[in-house]
Amino acid sequence: MTARTNLDQGLIERKLREKRRKRQAILLAVVGLICFYLMRLITLDRATTAEQHGEQSMYQNSTTKVSKANAEVEDARPKGKIVYLTFDDGPSDLTAKFLDVLRQHGVKANFFMQGIKLQRKNLQSDVKRAVREGHYVGGHSMTHQYKKLYEEGQFVSEMKDSLALIHDITGENPHLVRPPYGSVPGLNDKKLRDQIATEGMKIWDWTIDSNDWELKDHPEQIVENIKKATKVDLEVVLMHEKPQTLQALPEIIEFYQEEGYQFGVYDDNEHFHLNFQKDHRL
């Protein structure tokens, strides 16, 4: 009985050991699976974090590029105190006199000229002279008629024709034009601005309107208007080839010289946007 009992006891102990080993094996397997899934979760979390970081870096890089692009637009503006004197609606019988005053004061300026006047043979020598003496000559349409330019959609064709005339007369290839009456509201239509951009033309409005055209016999008021409106380092003054403006010009030049301004001449290769539409393409 004792031997039989001992044998049974040994079998029981072996079965118990086998059960313990199985339980340990199962436990180890469970622990292994838990560890595997934990490591998987950690790996996925790291990958997600890295991807998010990568996306953030891409966004930051994109933002940086946009910021740099905007900075380049701003950097294109000349540094220091610069004033661009601009005269619309030429050439005229007064163009030579304007050029005389500018030459006497050693000042360069910018002229925006109309096609119907550019076609006048007796005025073309003054257009050539303006370019020869270092002034800029840009386009100002052919007809200067609001309805034709904006309502009938002739803006681009008229500007191209006026620029072509300037090229024929001077040999220059200007790209800058000034919209008669300004780009607002005339160029509110984006499709029209798209056409302008496609043609590679640039638009300039102004920062100061002298209102000289309505101040006949009041040159002193023109000067006063300009003085009051001058506020920043870069100014573009809108004037016209009018007798009262010619009278006021020496005092306008003197004012800006006393204020420490340099007189700017537009350069097609260093364009910076200056239009009421705030369209950076133009």
Side-chain angles (χ1 to χ4, degrees):
M1 293 292 293
T2 302
R4 178 68 179 177
T5 302
N6 290 339
L7 179 60
D8 291 341
Q9 185 67 34
L11 289 171
I12 291 170
E13 289 179 356
R14 282 198 299 272
K15 288 181 179 180
L16 290 173
R17 285 196 296 270
E18 288 176 0
K19 287 182 179 180
R20 282 197 296 268
R21 282 196 296 270
K22 287 180 180 179
R23 285 197 297 268
Q24 290 173 350
I26 293 170
L27 181 61
L28 288 172
V30 171
V31 171
L33 285 171
I34 291 172
C35 290
F36 172 78
Y37 283 111
L38 284 174
M39 291 300 295
R40 181 66 175 168
L41 288 172
I42 291 171
T43 302
L44 289 172
D45 183 64
R46 287 178 177 175
T48 302
T49 302
E51 183 179 356
Q52 290 174 343
H53 179 72
E55 290 177 353
Q56 184 177 10
S57 297
M58 289 174 64
Y59 173 77
Q60 290 173 342
N61 289 338
S62 176
T63 303
T64 300
K65 288 178 181 178
V66 171
S67 298
K68 286 182 177 179
N70 289 336
E72 287 174 1
V73 171
E74 294 303 320
D75 288 343
R77 292 174 176 264
K79 306 302 181 184
K81 300 180 75 172
I82 309 288
V83 59
Y84 291 82
L85 301 181
T86 69
F87 303 96
D88 286 9
D89 297 348
S92 70
D93 295 333
L94 294 175
T95 301
K97 294 181 179 179
F98 273 92
L99 293 173
D100 289 342
V101 173
L102 293 168
R103 183 172 60 184
Q104 290 165 10
H105 290 81
V107 169
K108 308 301 180 186
N110 308 269
F111 293 83
F112 293 99
M113 297 186 169
Q114 295 180 30
I116 55 173
K117 296 181 180 180
L118 286 163
Q119 291 173 333
R120 292 171 56 183
K121 298 293 185 181
N122 64 313
L123 298 177
Q124 292 181 357
S125 61
D126 293 329
V127 181
K128 293 177 182 178
R129 176 188 167 190
V131 170
R132 186 171 63 250
E133 294 185 358
H135 306 287
Y136 185 87
V137 177
H140 196 47
S141 81
M142 294 295 292
T143 64
H144 205 281
Q145 294 181 20
Y146 189 96
K147 183 177 180 180
K148 286 186 176 181
L149 292 169
Y150 305 115
E151 296 177 7
E152 297 178 5
Q154 299 301 310
F155 183 91
V156 172
S157 60
E158 284 205 20
M159 288 301 182
K160 288 176 66 176
D161 288 345
S162 67
L163 292 175
L165 279 168
I166 294 169
H167 170 71
D168 291 343
I169 296 167
T170 68
E172 298 293 308
N173 289 294
H175 297 285
L176 185 66
V177 302
R178 170 166 283 162
Y181 314 105
S183 66
V184 172
L187 300 182
N188 284 352
D189 185 353
K190 184 178 180 297
K191 290 182 180 179
L192 180 52
R193 299 202 305 276
D194 291 343
Q195 293 177 28
I196 297 168
T198 299
E199 291 293 337
M201 286 188 290
K202 302 299 182 181
I203 299 292
W204 256 21
D205 287 307
W206 53 85
T207 63
I208 296 174
D209 187 348
S210 68
N211 290 306
D212 58 341
W213 60 274
E214 62 180 359
L215 293 171
K216 184 179 179 180
D217 299 325
H218 293 285
E220 72 287 346
Q221 187 59 53
I222 298 172
V223 176
E224 189 62 25
N225 289 348
I226 290 173
K227 286 182 177 180
K228 286 182 178 179
T230 299
K231 300 179 185 297
V232 296
D233 284 352
L234 191 151
E235 300 283 15
V236 176
V237 185
L238 169 63
M239 295 176 283
H240 301 79
E241 293 192 25
K242 298 288 186 182
Q244 60 269 26
T245 309
L246 182 62
Q247 287 180 267
L249 186 54
E251 191 172 347
I252 293 168
I253 292 172
E254 183 180 352
F255 164 71
Y256 279 112
Q257 288 174 332
E258 290 176 350
E259 292 296 315
Y261 282 83
Q262 299 296 314
F263 295 90
V265 180
Y266 179 80
D267 186 338
D268 283 296
N269 296 317
E270 297 180 2
H271 175 75
F272 56 92
H273 73 276
L274 186 78
N275 61 82
F276 300 145
Q277 296 288 346
K278 298 182 179 179
D279 191 328
H280 287 225
R281 300 172 302 165
L282 307 182

